[in-house]
Amino acid sequence: MKFFGQLTTALALLGNAAAQSLTRVNNFGANPSNAKMFIYVPRNLAANPPIIVAIHYCTGTAQAYFTGSPYKQLADQKGFIVIYPESPYSGTCWDVSSRATLTHEGGGNSNAIANMVKYTLQQYNGDPTKVFVTGTSSGGMMTNVMAATYPDLFAAGIVYSGTAAGCFYSQSGGTNAWNSSCANGQARGTPQVWAKMVFDMYPGYEGPRPKMQIYHGSADSTLNQNNYNETIKQWSGVFGFDPAKPDVTQANAPQSRYTTYSWGNGQLVGVYAQGVGHSVPMRGADDMKFFGL
């Protein structure tokens, strides 16, 4: 009997470990771009759980972002689900360049990630008013793309060291293409031009759009710091703000040498990190505040 008691305890521990690890989901809906879906469901899942999509950087994986980001621990505390998509391409950057991914229901990576969210909402009776997206570097670029292509799906997005949605667009139609002009900060436009890119990604959509928070470092040599300015101009154009006139400017916030700018009572927030390179470290507790979790 003692043996069976020990076996039962061991199996229970294994079950708990499995429930608290990253799980691959193969059949989550249409997936023409072959992106991979991984999910973390905490043991103490909230009723109608919120969902965060956490998108990795180039060379990253779902497992690396799961391990290196704060969202698993926060999910354990707060009971939300985390989706960790994984890029299907060599080098594991995200496709933020093709017409397919820059179009609502266009069949690209953005479409795949949206289907991961829809699957999770249905499978776990998630709260559709509390779906959020965040990412770092290439994942930050994809965060802007998700907010642009699926504004009806997300309540908020947080971008760590990315570029404006559409900035990496490939004129030759390349999928997962690099865009040196954008990366080097040479792609510049008016708020109206940048906003039109967003509007064109989901033509005819007139509903609410997610609030956005943009982090970038002044010493970023991978995605030039001007990409911060262009991203702020883009969302200012979408929301109707003047990018040069934030409502609130806070020096040394949330920490020394960071400056936080806010428009529209927090509809758009920019955090410019002086002296910080690529990429700005994730701020899990602050993310929870912005997401309202």
Side-chain angles (χ1 to χ4, degrees), residues 13-247:
L13 288 171
L14 282 171
N16 286 338
Q20 295 181 79
S21 62
L22 201 56
T23 303
R24 173 84 183 266
V25 178
N26 290 310
N27 300 310
F28 56 85
N31 183 24
S33 69
N34 294 317
K36 299 172 186 175
M37 177 183 179
F38 294 83
I39 193 170
Y40 178 69
V41 180
R43 186 191 311 168
N44 297 317
L45 187 63
N48 308 120
I51 297 166
I52 293 179
V53 181
I55 310 178
H56 67 71
Y57 42 85
C58 289
T59 75
T61 60
Q63 182 64 51
Y65 214 51
F66 173 72
T67 304
S69 66
Y71 305 116
K72 175 198 178 295
Q73 291 78 9
L74 291 163
D76 288 339
Q77 294 170 24
K78 297 176 180 291
F80 59 77
I81 293 171
V82 191
I83 298 170
Y84 296 89
E86 186 171 291
S87 165
Y89 308 110
S90 174
T92 65
C93 292
W94 290 98
D95 174 24
V96 290
S97 65
S98 72
R99 176 58 64 192
T101 202
L102 298 175
T103 303
H104 180 78
E105 300 290 270
N109 284 172
S110 62
N111 199 165
I113 294 172
N115 287 342
M116 296 176 196
V117 172
K118 293 171 186 175
Y119 166 89
T120 305
L121 283 169
Q122 183 174 17
Q123 193 76 10
Y124 296 93
N125 197 26
D127 186 342
T129 70
K130 294 181 180 179
V131 179
F132 310 99
V133 59
T134 186
T136 298
S137 189
S138 183
M141 300 183 203
M142 181 53 81
T143 296
N144 277 322
V145 169
M146 294 309 302
T149 51
Y150 290 90
D152 52 336
L153 210 52
F154 298 101
I158 299 176
V159 177
Y160 285 98
S161 305
T163 64
C167 190
F168 255 56
Y169 173 66
S170 171
Q171 297 285 350
S172 63
T175 297
N176 186 34
W178 186 257
N179 187 314
S180 294
S181 294
C182 178
N184 295 336
Q186 297 163 339
R188 299 167 188 245
T190 64
Q192 293 73 28
V193 167
W194 282 119
K196 187 176 186 300
M197 287 190 183
V198 171
F199 299 146
D200 287 348
M201 292 182 198
Y202 191 172
Y205 179 77
E206 296 181 355
R209 294 184 183 271
K211 65 178 186 174
M212 299 297 296
Q213 186 168 48
I214 314 300
Y215 285 88
H216 215 99
S218 71
D220 194 323
S221 59
T222 302
L223 297 174
N224 181 275
Q225 68 267 27
N226 187 57
N227 284 298
Y228 168 81
N229 298 323
E230 303 308 308
T231 306
I232 291 294
K233 284 196 285 184
Q234 180 168 64
W235 292 111
S236 292
V238 169
F239 296 133
F241 304 141
D242 183 342
K245 295 180 179 178
D247 300 332

